[in-house]
Amino acid sequence: MKVHEYQAKELLAQYGVPTPRGKVARSVDEAEQIAGELATWPLVVKAQVHVGGRGKAGGVKLVKTQEELRAAAQSILGLDIKGSIVRQVLVEPGVDIRHEIYLGIILDRATQRPVVMASAEGGVEIEELAATRPEAILKLPIPPLYGLRPHHTREVLSFLRIPASAKDSFQRIFNGLVRAFYEKDASLAEINPLAILGNGEALACDAKINFDENALYLHPEIAELRDEGEEEPLEVEARHKKLSYVKLDGRIGCIVNGAGLAMATMDIVKHFGGEPANFLDIGGGAKAEQVADALQLITADPAVNTIFINIFGGIVRCDLVAEGILTALDRLPDFDYPIVIRLSGTNDEIARKMLEGTKLNLAVTMSEGARRAVEISSSRAA
Ligand code: GDP
Ligand code: MN
């Protein structure tokens, strides 16, 4: 789960990380009122959206007067940044940045541990830097058994050539970032830029934290920070219906029971030259309610032109699934997408008999089902 910059900064401040103290405004007047409270110039006005590269998109402005502030808030509120419409701006004191550093910690799947990443060439997006100047990035895996040790901090300090004047504040930022990452079950926490200021100190000028969805139940105070307006609408709906759904770009809607089978289904659709429209695990039960919800969810995506239902009857019986599908289709009388269905496992023969004579396209094996779904989908696209 992603949160806004101002929320990430508030959290980091609780961990002792120095950040500019700002406030969020939803209108130009509110921005002006906050400016009055802060009573300092210059200020920065920053778009609060869940996408990066706001600076380049005109979503970050340094302002020196009341007029500039109004104009900046006016132009940023309502701005479309990579598909996200700006509804709120952060107004905070502008600072005298001399040098921009990147500091982040991510959960690295390859090494299966948290990895600290640092670069003296901050300010730009880390993906961009990794592509052009990978040698400018220090990657420091943190051993799970010992956690962060003083020698890690020394290595980062020396790699970044942090000046003596900034050592204390830099260490407060580093320790706070790492503790927040661990204690709140983040999957990514980064500060970019971590600025070295004219007065010699280090300050966290931007912050981004993503949290592990599966650990959110342990952190209700983090779960509360969710902004559904920033999320994929179909994924929000799926979460409310307790379906595990990820939207993809293809045309074949997949309904599958079990996460592993869902992955395998996407692989085999691709193997036969098709593109899945989604990952969707409806769970073990596959009752009528879930199937109907899943069909509605998937077909709300206008790119979908074919449905592939792939069910393995392990714990669940295939005849119960078939009944669920028939009931679901009864509830959706106008449903006219071609459906290829493969049912195998417990009572699969009974299930197939139940579905014979319907409009459903029955397949016995997974490859047969996938191949047919791909054929139908490409003939409809043509
Ligand atoms: P991002 O583009 O979405 O990552 O937004 P950032 O918060 O990183 O801001 C982009 C850039 O704006 C930074 O890299 C800085 O160069 C600049 N910036 C942000 N805050 C300040 C500030 O207080 N003072 C100055 N001089 N520049 C700032
Ligand atoms: Mn940034």
Side-chain angles (χ1 to χ4, degrees), residues 36-254:
E37 288 170 27
L38 293 173
T40 173
W41 299 96
L43 291 170
V44 264
V45 184
K46 309 181 75 176
Q48 298 298 289
V49 283
H50 284 183
V51 292
R54 296 163 304 165
K56 270 188 211 157
V60 178
K61 293 213 156 85
L62 191 70
V63 296
K64 296 189 191 68
T65 63
Q66 203 78 9
E67 293 71 50
E68 284 179 16
L69 171 85
R70 288 192 72 89
Q74 184 80 52
S75 77
I76 297 175
L77 284 164
L79 191 68
D80 180 337
I81 302 182
K82 299 178 190 164
S84 282
I85 307 297
V86 181
R87 293 187 197 84
Q88 40 189 7
V89 289
L90 174 61
V91 181
E92 62 179 22
V95 289
D96 172 20
I97 300 181
R98 294 292 162 86
H99 184 64
E100 300 195 10
I101 286 169
Y102 173 93
L103 182 66
I105 173 163
I106 56 151
L107 196 60
D108 181 43
R109 282 160 197 263
T111 52
Q112 302 184 347
R113 58 197 57 192
V115 173
V116 167
M117 304 218 286
S119 176
E121 298 173 29
V124 296
E125 282 185 73
I126 192 72
E127 293 83 359
E128 202 179 312
L129 193 61
T132 54
R133 292 200 9 89
E135 68 280 7
I137 304 172
L138 170 74
K139 289 186 184 173
L140 203 59
I142 305 298
L145 214 51
Y146 306 110
L148 189 77
R149 286 303 195 209
H151 70 83
H152 293 121
T153 310
R154 285 197 296 274
E155 194 171 342
V156 172
L157 281 167
S158 98
F159 181 83
L160 295 175
R161 298 175 195 279
I162 298 296
S165 63
K167 268 196 179 147
D168 282 355
S169 41
F170 181 86
Q171 287 192 22
R172 276 208 302 284
I173 296 176
F174 190 34
N175 292 336
L177 182 73
V178 171
R179 268 186 59 213
F181 175 88
Y182 276 95
E183 286 180 19
K184 299 297 183 185
D185 288 302
S187 51
L188 172 151
E190 64 175 37
I191 297 174
N192 185 28
L194 185 164
I196 305 295
L197 306 181
N199 69 8
E201 303 230 349
L203 186 71
C205 282
D206 185 15
K208 172 176 172 182
I209 308 183
N210 297 348
F211 299 91
D212 181 348
E213 295 265 353
N214 295 311
L216 276 183
Y217 75 101
L218 295 169
H219 310 288
E221 75 290 357
I222 302 291
E224 244 172 48
L225 304 179
R226 191 189 285 280
D227 181 354
E228 290 190 334
E230 286 286 310
E231 300 182 329
E232 173 64 50
L234 289 179
E235 294 184 4
V236 172
E237 196 185 326
R239 194 173 53 249
H240 289 311
K241 290 180 171 158
K242 301 203 170 9
L243 296 168
S244 157
Y245 171 88
V246 180
K247 188 184 166 340
L248 301 168
D249 296 328
R251 315 210 66 165
I252 301 176
C254 302

